[in-house]
Amino acid sequence: MPAEVKIAQTATPPLTERQEARRRRILHASAQLASRGGFDAVQMREVAESSQVALGTLYRYFPSKIHLLVATMQDQLQHMHTTLRKRPPSGQSPAERVAETLMRAFRALQREPHLADAMVRALTFADRSVSPEVDQVSRQTTAIILDAMGIDDPTAEQLSAVRVIGHTWHSALITWLSGRASIAQVKIDIETVCRLIDITSPPK
């Protein structure tokens, strides 16, 4: 799959065990601060103090608060993916399973509205310098959707549908956070866009 080639070309050297532990502490501190006070509560100096790393070290991992919060979103989605795999969706069709999965992920974020708002604001503010972190969020969202579909080797049309579904899910999250959509409306929109899965599925 072309996406795999791109990932291989842009891969960075793996972190050592100690570096990974430090990164995990940083992401945990970021999520904790955002959960309590939203976007404005995530200050780099406080993140450094909470995660017990030097401020300069924090900036080597994440050059800005936007980089940090977008990475936090990818980390949260990764945790959600692990949880979802432990209790797979029960829908009979791929479209039903994806809709159920995305609504479960949505409700998980709904339980942490300050954190969700902070991460979505960072994603909205992200410029080109944050592209690697934004790409990680997109890849994680795609992996969640494909897993719910039960597909290992999607066609180009299916991947296009997955991208549109992912865009809709993120947009629905933004409109809900801004008070412009109810949970009921979000559910309708998600279920509607997931019908693209049936349209793009190859004939049996």
Side-chain angles (χ1 to χ4, degrees):
M1 191 167 64
E4 292 175 352
V5 174
K6 182 180 178 183
I7 292 169
Q9 289 174 340
T10 59
T12 55
L15 298 176
T16 65
E17 187 174 337
R18 185 175 179 181
Q19 289 171 328
E20 181 60 34
R22 186 181 296 132
R23 185 176 186 276
R24 294 229 55 79
R25 292 202 310 273
I26 292 169
L27 291 173
H28 178 73
S30 170
Q32 289 291 102
L33 288 167
S35 294
R36 291 198 291 267
F39 184 85
D40 292 336
V42 181
Q43 300 298 322
M44 296 298 270
R45 188 171 296 280
E46 289 191 34
V47 172
E49 291 174 358
S50 297
S51 56
Q52 299 180 318
V53 302
L55 186 59
T57 301
L58 172 59
Y59 277 109
R60 284 200 296 274
Y61 280 82
F62 302 103
S64 73
K65 181 165 88 169
I66 302 299
H67 287 80
L68 173 57
L69 281 170
V70 174
T72 301
M73 185 169 193
Q74 189 275 331
D75 188 57
Q76 293 293 312
L77 288 172
Q78 192 170 33
H79 284 304
M80 284 182 204
H81 196 182
T82 300
T83 302
L84 289 164
R85 279 177 165 171
K86 292 177 181 176
R87 188 164 63 88
S90 57
Q92 294 188 351
S93 71
E96 290 172 343
R97 292 195 298 273
V98 172
E100 179 186 340
T101 293
L102 292 180
M103 284 308 300
R104 281 167 59 187
F106 189 92
R107 290 191 178 97
L109 290 171
Q110 184 189 5
R111 290 191 289 271
E112 295 281 0
H114 291 308
L115 173 59
D117 182 66
M119 295 187 301
V120 168
R121 283 177 66 181
L123 200 62
T124 304
F125 296 153
D127 59 20
R128 191 170 296 179
S129 71
V130 198
S131 290
E133 288 80 5
V134 173
D135 288 345
Q136 288 284 358
V137 169
S138 297
R139 281 196 288 268
Q140 190 65 59
T141 305
T142 296
I144 289 171
I145 295 170
L146 289 176
D147 212 27
M149 289 171 66
I151 292 177
D152 294 323
D153 189 20
T155 65
E157 289 79 8
Q158 286 173 319
L159 276 177
S160 181
V162 167
R163 283 193 295 272
V164 173
I165 291 167
H167 294 329
T168 302
W169 185 77
H170 285 293
S171 177
L173 187 57
I174 291 169
T175 54
W176 173 75
L177 285 167
S178 64
R180 291 182 285 121
S182 64
I183 297 297
Q185 186 59 58
V186 168
K187 187 172 186 292
I188 291 169
D189 290 349
I190 294 299
E191 289 174 348
T192 299
V193 76
C194 284
R195 291 175 193 159
L196 284 173
I197 294 171
D198 296 330
I199 296 172
T200 57
S201 295
K204 295 182 180 179

